[in-house]
Amino acid sequence: MTAELTAAKPQNIKRPRDIKRPQAKSRIRPAIGYLLLCLIALAFLSPLIYMVATSFKDPAEVFGIPPTLFGSAFRWQNYTEALNYLPFLRFMGNGLLVAGLGTILNVTVSVLSGYAFSRLRWRGRNLIFVVFLATLMIPQEVLVVPMFVMMQQIGWVNTFQSLIVPWAFTAFGAFLLRQFFLGVPQELDDAARVDGAGTVKTFLLVMLPLAGPTLAVLAVFSFIGYWNSFLWPLIVINDVSNLGTVPLGLQMFFSAQGSQWHLVMAAAVISMAPTLLLLILLQKHLVKGIATSGLGGR
Amino acid sequence: MTVPIGSGTALLESAEEELAHAKQDEASRRHVGRKTGWGGAFAAPHGAGLAIFTLLPIAVSLVISLFNWPLLGTPSFLGLDNYTKILTDPIFGQVVLNTVLFVVLYVPLNLVVSLGLAAWLTPRIKGRHIFRVIFFIPAITPVVANVVVWRLLYQQGGLIDGIMQTTTGVAAPNFLGDENWAMIAIVVMSVWQGFGYNMLIFSAALDAVPENLTEAAQIDGANAWTIFWKIKLAMISPSIFFATMMTLITSFQVFAQPFILTKGGPGSSTSTIVLYIYNQGFQFHQLGLASAAAWVLFVIILGVTAVQFLGQKKWVHYDG
């Protein structure tokens, strides 16, 4: 509605939102609804709460009827025992290395191609972009077997490279960055050109700084995807105690120590900590990024 | 596999639009851009990587599926034998049925829960952002950790069993060891873990429904219920379509939950297609069979996607 129309409206007509004002008596219903919502959220969180509680229990108190939330004492040494039983700190370090390098590679190639697909004109651009988009529809599982055979051929089985490199070239980043660059005004380009900047200089000094927030969202998605990745490491890494990442280590730990629930839960808490921290710190951007791009690594 | 973003999960709806835009752009030269020698160079690293690690594997996969290809040792050509083998294998038949059962139970539940909560978390709810983040937590924590916790809940003598014995005096069913319960247990766990994504997408879409539309309906006497069903749902139908599509595709690829909760059992009642691919390829060392199964999965996903696209005209409204 334009300003003129609003101004022309007679003053004594009620604004539409006043027509159905919530009455005073219906105060109770929202309160009950809110309480219900809180209960649902609590129920939803209960597995995680139970996980944390169990991670501090004495092994003898994990099972029992009636079940208890907390044991008789906080057993902090569950964590040191879990860390000592398997090299969990090494898994975390491996995970950081793999996810960190993979993210850098992913973001780098994505920002370059995203720029090329949006602001540079070159032969074959649209055709290649269509191929990029088409690859988004291929399930990873189809790629796992041939990828393993390829890794065998080049001797990458059981290496960090095999965890990092194959998954750094997914097309999503190019798509996201292209969207962003299309929204940047052409005048900026022209101004840079007038100032004598070439394509590379314009990209590095004008475009790259502008893309910061979009790059950050892509980086976080990419990092979480690498950090949580499970099927591929399970296939390509045999030497888990040296090269394992966190999910792989946790799974091995679980298979070996399935009865030691207090330790397994401590290990699970540890494995969740980094991504949880990331979510809490960056929730605004992350939530917005997922809601608008409709994507994340599932 | 939860791999770096986006691959596997499809940006179908946006992709379609994008393609249209790309063509339009070229025609109208709206996004002129610079014509320099740099375009190809900027796209080359990404393009090369994608060619080597996505396009080449697809070709390789087709080749492998035509061979008896052991994990170690020399492959020998078989032709279509792997395909006839898996298509006549009763276990593969069951694995496909299990996967379909998972999809049929999981997808509607996921959509109802995520849509319901998104609709509930209107801007009027205090602290809605906190609720959103809470429901999103399991979606970004390692699947393995989530599944391990649920194993403890489902376990005989575990939390659910313990609560039931205390309150009703009756033991809970053996969720993971009973053929009738195992799949349900996996579905419930998966919905808990996965609906956060769709809830965020629906939330954003609902927030974007213009207020003057709902206000106009209010003046016409529509109640909240009608407004939700007749207006909001129609307005966000593109998002629902997109989310349905992605959820369908990813749910056909379910792996970690059955792998850790039940190992596909009891019997093979919770074994899924990807679990079958993993077992054939990396437990029984039959990479040819595994590749053939992967292609069957791919064809199923393509088919379902195509049906979705054909069906969308009936219920998806894009405002023009």
Side-chain angles (χ1 to χ4, degrees), chain B residues 116 163 250:
Chain B
I163 291 175
T250 50

Side-chain angles (χ1 to χ4, degrees), chain A residues 145-184:
Chain A
V145 173
M147 195 82 90
F148 179 82
V149 170
M150 286 166 61
M151 295 294 122
Q152 265 186 331
Q153 297 298 321
I154 56 176
W156 277 16
V157 172
N158 219 13
T159 63
F160 280 134
Q161 301 90 288
S162 66
L163 291 181
I164 298 169
V165 179
W167 312 106
F169 299 96
T170 55
F172 173 65
F175 178 81
L176 192 72
L177 267 305
R178 177 177 177 271
Q179 286 298 95
F180 168 78
F181 283 125
L182 285 180
V184 176

Side-chain angles (χ1 to χ4, degrees), chain B residues 34-45:
Chain B
R34 283 197 197 181
K35 189 148 194 172
T36 67
W38 284 102
F42 271 63

Side-chain angles (χ1 to χ4, degrees), chain A residues 124-142:
Chain A
R125 183 179 82 167
N126 287 341
L127 180 70
I128 292 177
F129 187 63
V130 168
V131 174
F132 265 59
L133 282 180
T135 63
L136 285 174
M137 294 166 203
I138 298 157
Q140 296 293 333
E141 286 69 22
V142 178

Side-chain angles (χ1 to χ4, degrees), chain B residues 13-296:
Chain B
E13 173 207 322
S14 341
E16 244 197 355
E17 273 171 33
E18 271 311 305
L19 293 187
H21 277 298
K23 276 179 195 148
Q24 223 176 36
D25 290 351
E26 197 62 8
S28 69
R29 304 265 152 123
R30 257 193 312 124
H31 300 285
V32 179
R34 283 197 197 181
K35 189 148 194 172
T36 67
W38 284 102
F42 271 63
H46 204 166
L50 211 61
I52 296 171
F53 295 111
T54 300
L55 300 180
L56 179 62
I58 290 178
V60 171
S61 173
L62 260 185
V63 173
I64 294 174
S65 75
L66 302 176
F67 279 77
N68 173 18
W69 197 301
L71 201 62
L72 304 163
T74 344
S76 55
F77 186 73
L78 283 181
L80 292 175
D81 279 11
N82 283 328
Y83 289 94
T84 48
K85 207 169 185 177
I86 58 167
L87 291 177
T88 54
D89 179 1
I91 295 211
F92 187 72
Q94 184 173 5
V95 158
V96 172
L97 280 181
N98 290 341
T99 310
V100 170
L101 179 64
F102 175 84
V103 172
V104 166
L105 293 174
Y106 172 80
V107 175
L109 254 178
N110 177 314
L111 291 171
V112 167
V113 172
S114 54
L115 191 55
L117 275 169
W120 196 345
L121 292 171
T122 59
R124 275 190 307 176
I125 302 276
K126 238 186 234 162
R128 64 199 290 248
H129 299 293
I130 299 170
F131 284 111
R132 280 186 190 177
V133 170
I134 287 176
F135 291 124
F136 190 57
I137 288 174
I140 58 141
T141 45
V143 191
V144 181
N146 295 334
V147 181
V148 162
V149 181
W150 278 80
R151 183 82 191 257
L152 180 57
L153 300 187
Y154 282 141
Q155 190 94 351
Q156 281 186 297
L159 186 62
I160 298 175
D161 188 25
I163 291 175
M164 274 191 71
Q165 288 203 35
T166 312
T167 54
T168 66
V170 185
N174 183 3
F175 293 111
L176 300 175
D178 182 332
E179 281 199 18
N180 299 316
W181 282 100
M183 186 56 91
I184 295 172
I186 288 174
V187 168
V188 169
M189 189 269 147
S190 303
V191 171
W192 174 83
Q193 168 178 280
F195 79 84
Y197 273 108
N198 289 341
M199 188 201 61
L200 289 185
I201 294 169
F202 293 148
S203 250
L206 284 171
D207 285 357
V209 174
E211 225 172 276
N212 56 8
L213 265 181
T214 49
E215 280 176 354
Q218 245 173 15
I219 294 172
D220 291 344
N223 59 25
W225 196 246
T226 323
I227 289 176
F228 180 75
W229 283 107
K230 292 270 161 71
I231 298 175
K232 289 195 175 168
L233 226 47
M235 289 297 290
I236 69 166
S237 56
S239 295
I240 298 177
F241 172 67
F242 178 55
T244 309
M245 194 74 113
M246 290 200 345
T247 313
L248 266 174
I249 292 175
T250 50
S251 61
F252 271 105
Q253 301 164 38
V254 57
F255 170 71
Q257 297 91 310
F259 180 73
I260 302 170
L261 275 178
T262 60
K263 288 271 173 214
S268 50
S269 61
T270 55
S271 189
T272 61
I273 300 179
V274 178
L275 201 61
Y276 183 89
I277 295 172
Y278 174 79
N279 283 335
Q280 287 300 337
F282 302 97
Q283 299 297 312
F284 309 137
H285 300 183
Q286 299 281 339
L287 293 177
L289 272 182
S291 271
W295 274 94
V296 173

Side-chain angles (χ1 to χ4, degrees), chain A residues 86-153:
Chain A
L86 271 188
F88 231 86
L89 287 178
R90 176 175 290 172
F91 298 152
M92 305 270 279
N94 291 346
L96 279 177
L97 182 79
V98 168
L101 290 177
T103 300
I104 292 172
L105 192 56
N106 180 237
V107 170
T108 307
V109 297
S110 298
V111 73
L112 288 172
S113 64
Y115 186 68
F117 284 127
S118 57
R119 304 191 75 92
L120 299 173
R121 265 169 52 206
W122 40 288
R123 192 188 287 264
R125 183 179 82 167
N126 287 341
L127 180 70
I128 292 177
F129 187 63
V130 168
V131 174
F132 265 59
L133 282 180
T135 63
L136 285 174
M137 294 166 203
I138 298 157
Q140 296 293 333
E141 286 69 22
V142 178
L143 303 179
V144 162
V145 173
M147 195 82 90
F148 179 82
V149 170
M150 286 166 61
M151 295 294 122
Q152 265 186 331
Q153 297 298 321

